[in-house]
């Protein structure tokens, strides 16, 4: 036995003679994943992330292997371009294959009618963590499993970790804890750079910071990828002529940041910035304090919620804020509503129209021309399954455990219509995630962070700016604290600009660290 599922120290093996087998244990059974022969090597994405082993590795015959520890593998991929390409490619593709085949260390027992199930599925998918899913409503032999683990149907969603721990309707933090997502991360030493938020801007800052030798820690409330991670297809990001799903882009950036040595804490949000003395410290929702010599705030924005009764109860049970394959599967061929006239609404409508019977786009204004890119408007016009409803807004959401009916009003005629539609995608603009900053940095009137030349003399005097030099580009009213991407006042709300800002900020972080 070379490695057991759940082991925290995961070595890398090159087989020189014989064969090793990769298997996924489940109870007393094993599922064969693959065999590795002479000249081939073991390892998948957790070789880079430092997380627990998802599989068991054992020799199937007498043989010989070369063993390297993870630190040596990381050193190899950082210094040897040729080996890096071979290893990184194999690790990423192997993880994708495990995800596609549902071969991991967790089983999710849930129901498509439960918001908690959708949340956990999204959390696992967006962290590229493979899982098998058992649907309480559809899988006939689920009763044996429920009996074995003493689970009642009312407990779902239930997560069974490595066949040992049974978590009933766990929070994302509990899922991350059980799967050991953050186990390898030291939370005590002073970091050169703490990045808050792992959307495109935060991940870009992590890639550039870590690749240039900084000791980087990224904190993420939820999963890597941010808003971009919830996009089904990004078509205007440079270098992807056929488009790229937000999740794929985020997954690659996440692995890339880790390859250079950045550490990323998942499901650990910043709740406060301790800014009264240096080094600054970022406080986490579990009470921990991470000291930092410089900070990049990349917390982006989150969607506005519609002022509707029942909304909170139906979120995840018919009301969604992202349109990815997970939600599209839930909608099947039914009718859906997309609310909003921006690019994210347009993308969602075009994507959902591939499977849904009809997609209604509801906008309060008279059309899309002022808010959506021309290429998306054209695509909407050319898609017969999409119906644009201008001057229209939702006035009521109705249903029990799941959304069943939507009432919308045409504001020109005043007419209210009831429709038996069970899926609504809300994409109606966003508010910045800056509440946690609690007065540490200057904000504009809408709550976005002011930086660099946007900071007026008055802003700097109120903030008691202590230095002779003015703030650098993307530097906030607090020296050494930067803001990038959508959370920054005046930024262009696009993936490319978020990535650009994250990478540029790092060059100023270097200057500040030498000050
Ligand atoms: C559905 C959709 C489709 C889109 N399509 C396109 C497109 O095709 N092309 C394009 O250019 N742009 C597109 N955009 C816009 C683009 O995704 C954003 O401009 C980009 O993601 C901004 O990146 P960011 O890193 O600044 O912020 P975000 O992507 O918002 O990421 C911020 C991250 O910070 C985390 N966070 C927030 N608060 C905290 C905290 N206190 N502690 C720790 N972490 C925290 C969040 O969980 C999140 O992961 C789309 C957006 C959406 C929603």
């Amino acid at each position: 036995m070379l490695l057991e599922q759940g082991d925290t120290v995961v070595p890398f093996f090159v087989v020189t003679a014989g064969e090793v087998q990769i298997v996924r244990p489940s109870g007393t059974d094993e599922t064969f994943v693959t065999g590795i022969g002479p000249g081939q090597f073991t390892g998948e994405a957790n070789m880079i992330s430092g997380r627990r082993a998802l599989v068991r590795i054992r020799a199937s015959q007498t043989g010989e292997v070369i063993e390297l520890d993870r630190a040596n593998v990381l050193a190899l991929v950082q210094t040897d371009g040729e080996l890096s390409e071979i290893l990184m490619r194999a690790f990423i593709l192997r993880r994708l294959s495990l995800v596609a085949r549902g071969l991991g260390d967790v089983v999710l027992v849930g129901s498509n009618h439960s918001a908690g199930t959708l949340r956990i599925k999204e959390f696992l998918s967006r962290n590229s963590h493979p899982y098998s899913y058992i649907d309480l409503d559809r899988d006939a032999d689920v009763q044996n499993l429920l009996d074995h683990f003493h689970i009642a149907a009312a407990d779902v969603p239930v997560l069974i970790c490595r066949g040992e721990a049974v978590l009933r309707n766990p929070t994302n933090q509990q899922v991350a804890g059980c799967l050991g997502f953050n186990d390898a991360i030291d939370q005590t030493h002073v970091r050169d750079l703490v990045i808050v938020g792992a959307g495109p801007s935060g991940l870009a800052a992590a890639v550039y910071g870590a690749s240039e030798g900084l000791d980087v820690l990224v904190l993420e409330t939820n999963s890597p990828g941010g808003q971009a991670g919830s996009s089904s297809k990004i078509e205007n990001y440079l270098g992807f002529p056929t488009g790229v799903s937000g999740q794929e882009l985020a997954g690659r950036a996440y692995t890339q940041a880790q390859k250079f040595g950045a550490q990323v804490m998942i499901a650990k949000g910043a709740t406060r910035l301790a800014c009264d003395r240096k080094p600054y410290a970022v406080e986490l929702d579990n009470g921990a304090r991470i000291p930092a010599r410089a900070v990049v705030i990349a917390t982006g924005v989150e969607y506005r919620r519609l002022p509707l009764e029942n909304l909170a109860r139906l979120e995840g049970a018919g009301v969604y804020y992202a349109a990815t394959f997970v939600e599209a599967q839930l909608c099947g061929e039914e009718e859906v509503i997309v609310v909003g006239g921006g690019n994210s609404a347009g993308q969602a409508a075009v994507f959902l129209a591939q499977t849904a019977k009809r997609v209604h786009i509801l906008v309060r204004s008279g059309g899309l021309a002022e808010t959506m890119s021309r290429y998306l408007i054209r695509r909407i016009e050319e898609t017969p399954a999409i119906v644009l409803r201008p001057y229209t807004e939702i006035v009521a959401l109705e249903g029990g455990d799941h959304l069943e009916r939507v009432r919308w009003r045409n504001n020109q005629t005043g007419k209210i219509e009831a429709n038996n539609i069970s899926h609504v995608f809300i994409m109606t603009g966003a508010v910045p995630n800056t509440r946690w900053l609690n007065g540490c940095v200057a904000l504009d009137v809408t709550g976005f962070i002011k930086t660099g030349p946007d900071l007026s003399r008055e802003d700097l005097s109120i903030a008691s700016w202590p230095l002779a030099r003015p703030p650098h580009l993307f530097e906030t009213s607090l020296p050494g604290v930067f803001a990038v991407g959508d959370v920054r006042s005046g930024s262009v709300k696009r993936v490319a600009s978020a990535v650009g800002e994250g990478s540029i900020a790092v060059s100023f972080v270097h200057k500040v660290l030498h000050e």
Side-chain angles (χ1 to χ4, degrees):
M1 194 72 74
L2 298 177
L3 183 75
E4 187 51 278
Q5 186 185 56
D7 280 357
T8 47
V9 178
V10 182
F12 170 83
F13 300 105
V14 181
V15 178
T16 49
E19 188 207 49
V20 301
Q21 289 189 346
I22 314 289
V23 297
R24 193 265 314 257
S26 60
T28 48
D29 295 338
E30 282 180 345
T31 308
F32 179 75
V33 179
T34 191
I36 307 262
Q40 297 181 312
F41 56 87
T42 64
E44 56 92 36
N46 64 358
M47 207 73 242
I48 301 301
S49 64
R51 291 189 189 156
R52 289 166 186 261
L54 294 176
V55 292
R56 174 184 289 164
I57 304 181
R58 57 175 165 68
S60 53
Q61 51 184 262
T62 307
E64 200 174 78
V65 296
I66 301 169
E67 177 178 341
L68 260 75
D69 64 15
R70 177 171 164 264
N72 274 313
V73 177
L74 276 183
L76 260 187
V77 295
Q78 285 166 10
T79 51
D80 187 313
E82 203 179 337
L83 279 180
S84 168
E85 193 179 327
I86 295 169
L87 296 181
M88 290 299 292
R89 208 177 153 74
F91 293 161
I92 291 170
L93 291 175
R94 285 172 179 175
R95 173 56 69 100
L96 289 178
S97 160
L98 290 176
V99 170
R101 294 167 67 188
L103 291 173
D105 53 354
V106 278
V107 178
L108 174 63
V109 185
S111 153
N112 278 355
H113 301 293
S114 118
T117 303
L118 175 65
R119 172 179 53 78
I120 295 175
K121 272 184 169 187
E122 273 184 354
F123 184 69
L124 293 170
S125 309
R126 289 183 60 176
N127 282 291
S128 302
H129 196 91
Y131 65 95
S132 27
Y133 176 59
I134 295 178
D135 194 315
L136 207 56
D137 307 323
R138 294 190 194 163
D139 293 304
D141 51 356
V142 66
Q143 196 56 47
N144 285 344
L145 186 88
L146 296 182
D147 292 346
H148 180 81
F149 287 102
H150 309 292
I151 305 168
D155 293 335
V156 300
V158 169
L159 197 79
I160 306 167
C161 271
R162 287 183 293 283
E164 299 160 358
V166 177
L167 306 181
R168 292 168 168 78
N169 195 11
T171 60
N172 290 351
Q173 283 86 343
Q174 288 169 326
V175 176
C178 187
L179 298 176
F181 280 2
N182 302 317
D183 286 356
I185 298 177
D186 172 19
Q187 300 179 29
T188 53
H189 74 269
V190 184
R191 305 280 177 160
D192 293 334
L193 175 60
V194 169
I195 299 167
V196 187
S201 62
L203 288 173
V207 166
Y208 282 82
S211 66
E212 292 165 15
L214 299 180
D215 176 7
V216 175
L217 177 67
V218 186
L219 306 171
E220 168 54 53
T221 306
N222 198 0
S223 317
Q227 296 166 73
S230 70
S231 168
S232 45
K233 200 168 198 185
I234 297 168
E235 295 196 55
N236 56 1
Y237 187 55
L238 189 74
F240 293 89
T242 54
V244 57
S245 81
Q247 201 177 318
E248 194 183 342
L249 189 66
R252 284 165 180 263
Y254 179 40
T255 311
Q256 195 176 10
Q258 289 179 320
K259 164 185 140 171
F260 288 118
Q263 294 189 309
V264 186
M265 286 186 85
I266 299 300
K268 285 270 184 282
T271 50
R272 201 173 87 87
L273 178 63
C275 56
D276 47 356
R277 72 189 118 104
K278 284 192 163 182
Y280 302 125
V282 181
E283 290 182 10
L284 302 186
D285 37 24
N286 63 356
R289 280 167 71 96
I290 314 272
R293 298 172 64 210
V295 176
V296 168
I297 302 169
T299 46
V301 297
E302 65 186 52
Y303 280 115
R304 279 206 183 91
R305 284 169 162 71
L306 296 181
L308 291 170
E309 217 179 296
N310 292 340
L311 181 81
R313 190 168 56 76
L314 294 169
E315 283 174 345
V319 175
Y320 317 104
Y321 294 91
T324 67
F325 285 97
V326 177
E327 289 81 16
Q329 270 177 355
L330 295 177
C331 300
E333 293 175 12
E334 297 172 35
E335 286 191 44
V336 307
I337 295 172
V338 173
V339 184
N343 277 356
S344 51
Q347 274 178 11
V350 170
F351 171 66
L352 293 165
Q354 293 169 14
T355 42
K357 185 160 114 200
R358 182 159 303 131
V359 180
H360 305 265
I361 302 183
L362 270 51
V363 286
R364 282 198 296 195
S365 64
L368 302 173
E370 296 197 346
T371 47
M372 198 179 283
S373 297
R374 186 67 215 142
Y375 84 94
L376 277 170
I377 297 179
R378 245 205 340 262
R379 213 161 287 171
I380 287 170
E381 288 166 352
E382 286 163 3
T383 310
I386 302 181
V387 185
L388 176 66
R389 298 189 180 279
Y391 304 110
T392 305
E393 66 182 303
I394 294 183
V395 289
L397 300 170
E398 297 168 5
D401 290 346
H402 197 278
L403 177 66
E404 288 161 21
R405 194 171 312 101
V406 178
R407 290 180 195 273
W408 68 56
R409 181 179 58 217
N410 180 311
N411 288 334
Q412 272 197 321
T413 62
K415 196 175 151 210
I416 295 182
E417 260 181 64
N419 288 279
N420 293 335
I421 295 181
S422 333
H423 306 283
V424 172
F425 292 80
I426 299 178
M427 300 191 153
T428 49
V431 281
N433 287 317
T434 48
R435 280 179 309 274
W436 65 281
L437 287 164
N438 212 8
C440 276
V441 299
L443 306 178
D444 69 13
V445 284
T446 46
F448 288 85
I449 303 175
K450 289 175 101 174
T451 56
D454 289 344
L455 286 159
S456 64
R457 253 192 214 157
E458 197 192 345
D459 290 326
L460 295 179
S461 126
I462 293 172
S464 308
W465 176 260
L467 306 177
R469 65 160 176 85
H472 291 301
L473 194 65
F474 306 142
E475 195 171 22
T476 67
S477 57
L478 195 61
V481 175
F482 295 79
V484 292
D486 280 16
V487 76
R488 196 179 66 77
S489 175
S491 69
V492 178
K493 311 299 187 234
R494 290 278 183 273
V495 176
S497 42
V499 167
E501 291 191 8
S503 50
I504 294 168
V506 168
S507 62
F508 294 106
V509 166
H510 285 294
K511 288 193 177 166
V512 165
L513 292 179
H514 288 107
E515 227 158 34

